[in-house]
Amino acid sequence: MFFTYLRRELRRRRKAALVVSMGLALGIGLVLTVTSVSAGMKNAQSQVLHSLYGLGTDITVTKQASAGQGGGGQQFGIKRSGSGTQSSSADRLTVSPGTATLTSAQLATIAGQNGVSAAVGSLLLNDFKFDGSFKLQGGTSSNSSGAAGSSGAGGRPSGGEGGQGGTPPSGQADFNLNTFTIQGVDTGNLTLGPLSSLKITSGVNFTSAQSSALVAVADASYAKSKKLSVGSTVTISGSKFKVIGIATASSGSSTANLYIPLAKAQTLADQKDRLTTVYVKATGSQQIAAVKSEVQKAVSGTTVTTASDLASTVSGSLSTAADLATNLGKWLSLAVLAAAFLISSLLTSSAVNRRVREFGTLKALGWRSKRVIGQVMGEALVNGLIGGVLGIALGLAGAAAITAFSPTLSASLGSSTANSGPGGGPGGGFGGAAAKAAQEVSVHLTAPVTVASIGIAVALAVAGGLVAGGFGGWRASRLRPADALRRVE
């Protein structure tokens, strides 16, 4: 009887039911679209963080140099004598100014903390390569040139400098200063750390057996600018490294120009058992905060950073769009949803008023108020479910349109925990990439519709039907048969 009467009433009042359902559908569709956009924003931010810091990295540990530590330019001793053209070159591998190093013992301490699944270290270095040729005419001289403070490649300072203990020479000097970044990586665990977010597009990656080999992986952009390919050789501090692979970041830029085995980087830079960054993976997301606290206590003076700490520093159009979706979109969807519920309730109540004689007759025939209320709420609930189906369709269409036509967004990361060294070398943060704030990452915004968002839409549809039916049922329950029969529909 209940379902028969319900079906007949809905068929008899198709237009009114459709109006109520469409009102709910608009609100539910907007909520579903905003929810999908918010999920897309989180995915985009996660993509930025992963591309810059490494997939699987939950925490990074770095250490800043104390006041008076790690500063100053790089000095190259240049000796000039006789006449004619003479060439001179020098190579310096240094840790970025403002960055202090951690020890292998501290890495072991971090790896032994509760909640730590894995921990690997890396050493990020700046390579200052000086090449010069001198054309001298008589005299001898010896001096030191501060390469880090030079005016740049191709500078031509005057040769009339005063020598120390010799005849002042005359002539000119042509020199170039080339700087690039090198990162020593643990070849025994490539799933964690700077190389985990890179894709080998040519050649091969390191193997665990190459922990002390003279091999390198080059960043694709750097390899293109220097015309490097698989099989090429690069000279680092007098040692020739063979390029075995070319790596490309999924988005943005990688943290270094060249990657070499950690042991070789430590040896060449005279930084035995030293690290600039420790990458940590927690056993689960719930343990990240506890691990951070334990590491800070176990290794004093360090900067412990989680991905959530850095997510707030993502700026650019991605950040603006995320704020818009989170704030304006949320309140707008709530306002539209509240209006849809209110309109549905008023329309249902209005329909009850038009059915006064009908409900009065039913009550006169023995229907109790509870049964009348149930009938009204059943009809409203069906309207709500229809509205939910239409709302999900609208939400899916809106999400698909956003995914198809949304512009490419840019994002950059600000650094508050690290200083950048010369040549753009990062000094800390997640793989040090936080210091590359000037380099933007481009991401395409998507609006994924998740099962959870569809569940929210269904819940809202049911809630809308219950709200509308409850209000209309309350009005119907107040009708008295005698009063109802006096009224004409």
Side-chain angles (χ1 to χ4, degrees), residues 27-37 391-393 395-396 449-450 453-454 457:
I28 293 170
L30 182 58
V31 171
L32 184 59
T33 302
V34 171
T35 303
S36 301
V37 171
I392 291 173
L396 291 173
V449 179
T450 62
S453 60
I454 293 178

Side-chain angles (χ1 to χ4, degrees), residues 318-403:
L318 173 61
S319 177
T320 303
D323 291 340
L324 187 64
T326 301
N327 298 321
L328 179 60
K330 179 179 68 176
W331 292 112
L332 178 61
S333 61
L334 288 177
V336 172
L337 188 63
F341 280 16
L342 179 60
I343 292 173
S344 299
S345 300
L346 293 177
L347 289 175
T348 303
S349 178
S350 176
V352 169
N353 287 335
R354 290 194 299 270
R355 299 166 65 185
V356 169
R357 186 175 181 181
E358 174 189 340
F359 289 137
T361 303
L362 292 174
K363 295 184 77 172
L365 292 175
W367 280 38
R368 294 183 178 181
S369 296
K370 184 178 180 180
R371 188 173 180 182
V372 174
I373 294 173
Q375 190 68 43
V376 174
M377 292 194 68
E379 295 174 11
L381 187 58
V382 172
N383 289 336
L385 292 176
I386 295 174
V389 172
L390 295 175
I392 291 173
L394 289 175
L396 291 173
I402 290 173
T403 301

Side-chain angles (χ1 to χ4, degrees), residues 113 148 217 236 255 360 449 471:
Q113 299 303 307
V217 171
I236 302 174
T255 58
V449 179
F471 188 68

